[in-house]
Amino acid sequence: MTEYVSTTPGLFPLPDWAKDDLSDAKGHQKHDLISGDEGETVTSVYDEARAEVVETQVEAGLDLISEGQLRWDDMLAHPLTVHDAVDTGGIVRYYDNNNFYRDPVVTDDLTFSGDVAGELEAAAALTEEPLQAVLPGPYSLFDLATDDHYGDEETFLAAVADFLAGEVDAFPAHETLFLLEPSLVENPPGDGLDELASEAVDTVANATDAEVIVQPFYGALEEKVYAHLLDADFDALGFDFVTEQDQNLYNIQEYGATDDVSLGLADGQNTLLEEPEAIRERADWVFDQIPVTDFETTYLTTNTETFYLPYAKFEAKLEALAEAAALAEVTHA
């Protein structure tokens, strides 16, 4: 019997008060922000907001607590845009939605940063609940960046994977690591690069003893990409069942899956609130369609980051996921 675990892919919306405070603080500290120094006022707002989103998750009853990635103004590109070996280029559309990020242009070796580890350490000090780390997957970070140093795609992808593995190695104790890989769907790797993308995931996953969940979203993986990804050594593969059902079911039916599974069943971009019972029923429906349902762990989550939601809707989505996992445990006990 599978264990149901409620969680999210991270990248939370800022509390409303924090948006106002940050707008004021950043307006007064424009020079510091350009130079990479957030300044004491901005840092204090993020610290207070982090404490709030951690408390929100605990109160909602989530099984795994994320730091929230509130500082990630550049979305999944953040670990590079704050790096000393990276210049930030022009504004680029974030996949096919109305969010944008600054193009990270890699100009030198991607050495250790420690930025995300520092965020996790701050979150770990706020709660004794199981901690979940979140990173862009290596292929997505490679896809979102521009290489002006390594010279070819293969070398650059390997360098991004090694960089992320080094960052993970510095993380404080964490229960799970979510690697977010929307680029595997949005801009899938071609022949040759698909195998290297799998090897890159393997490199990052092997840098931690925690459970590693690879979460593609905005649709389903192409068959060949899916098959190659399963060659990597990670614990759970994620599926965006909000955006695409048929292809995700086909991939599982045709190629199997990992021992654990992550189901994106609540909409991370839509303010419509799912009832906990509906989320549980969606999980049952997925399992009814596939031949193998003896997953050790099933993570119930939103299909995408919740960055796009108003904060009150975000809170409600967390509560629904937590209750859905609890209902599923009772139903299948």
Side-chain angles (χ1 to χ4, degrees):
M1 184 183 70
T2 190
E3 176 188 7
Y4 290 87
V5 175
S6 57
T7 186
T8 71
L11 279 164
F12 296 160
L14 278 162
D16 295 334
W17 65 265
K19 293 178 183 177
D20 295 335
D21 287 5
L22 283 171
S23 179
D24 292 341
K26 289 181 177 181
H28 287 98
Q29 297 181 14
K30 187 174 293 184
H31 174 74
D32 288 341
L33 292 170
I34 291 172
S35 67
D37 182 3
E38 289 177 336
E40 184 176 344
T41 304
V42 171
T43 298
S44 67
V45 174
Y46 280 127
D47 287 345
E48 188 175 348
R50 179 188 297 112
E52 181 169 328
V53 299
V54 167
E55 182 179 5
T56 294
Q57 292 171 88
V58 173
E59 291 181 348
L62 279 189
D63 295 308
L64 295 169
I65 306 302
S66 171
E67 185 270 337
Q69 295 73 51
L70 301 177
R71 291 176 54 242
W72 292 26
D73 291 343
D74 295 296
M75 307 298 285
L76 294 182
H78 171 85
L80 288 186
T81 57
V82 297
H83 197 285
D84 289 341
V86 174
D87 292 336
T88 50
I91 300 297
V92 184
R93 184 180 293 275
Y94 183 66
Y95 300 112
D96 62 350
N97 58 39
N98 290 323
N99 290 289
F100 300 86
Y101 68 99
R102 295 171 299 167
D103 178 25
V105 181
V106 177
T107 60
D108 205 343
D109 289 348
L110 290 174
T111 54
F112 175 72
S113 165
D115 180 81
V116 179
E119 293 179 332
L120 282 173
E121 288 166 359
L126 297 169
T127 181
E128 295 182 356
E129 298 295 322
L131 191 64
Q132 175 173 289
V134 173
L135 278 175
Y139 179 75
S140 291
L141 190 57
F142 154 86
D143 178 51
L144 293 171
T146 297
D147 173 36
D148 197 23
H149 174 66
Y150 288 98
D152 60 72
E153 288 187 329
E154 295 78 9
T155 305
F156 185 39
L157 176 57
V160 170
D162 288 340
F163 161 68
L164 288 174
E167 300 303 295
V168 170
D169 190 54
F171 284 0
H174 51 289
E175 187 85 6
T176 50
L177 168 63
F178 260 59
L179 294 177
L180 308 186
E181 282 284 17
S183 285
L184 287 176
V185 174
E186 287 284 328
N187 187 25
D191 289 345
L193 201 61
D194 48 8
E195 293 184 49
L196 295 178
S198 176
E199 292 175 11
V201 168
D202 199 60
T203 295
V204 182
N206 282 314
T208 179
D209 293 329
E211 299 293 295
V212 177
I213 300 94
V214 177
Q215 192 83 16
F217 47 91
Y218 300 136
L221 297 173
E222 294 181 354
E223 287 185 61
K224 192 173 180 182
V225 174
Y226 185 93
H228 279 303
L229 186 58
L230 287 180
D231 290 334
D233 184 18
F234 60 95
D235 301 282
L237 182 56
F239 299 89
D240 177 356
F241 277 104
V242 174
T243 305
E244 175 58 47
Q245 297 178 358
D246 292 343
Q247 185 62 41
N248 276 319
L249 288 175
Y250 173 81
N251 285 342
I252 299 173
Q253 293 165 346
E254 186 71 17
Y255 300 102
T258 43
D259 290 338
D260 302 330
V261 66
S262 176
L263 303 181
L265 298 174
D267 197 328
Q269 300 181 87
N270 194 310
T271 57
L272 180 66
L273 295 178
E274 300 88 353
E275 292 296 326
E277 182 67 26
I279 297 174
R280 184 197 64 78
E281 289 175 354
R282 290 174 188 178
D284 288 345
W285 178 84
V286 170
F287 290 149
D288 287 343
Q289 310 305 310
I290 58 180
V292 179
T293 58
D294 57 345
F295 299 107
E296 295 177 12
T297 303
T298 297
Y299 298 93
L300 299 183
T301 181
T302 55
N303 65 318
T304 69
E305 321 103 312
T306 52
F307 170 85
Y308 318 94
L309 297 174
Y311 195 78
K313 297 290 187 179
F314 156 73
E315 292 178 296
K317 295 266 185 179
L318 300 188
E319 293 168 359
L321 285 168
E323 189 173 341
L327 283 172
E329 287 286 353
V330 170
T331 302
H332 297 283

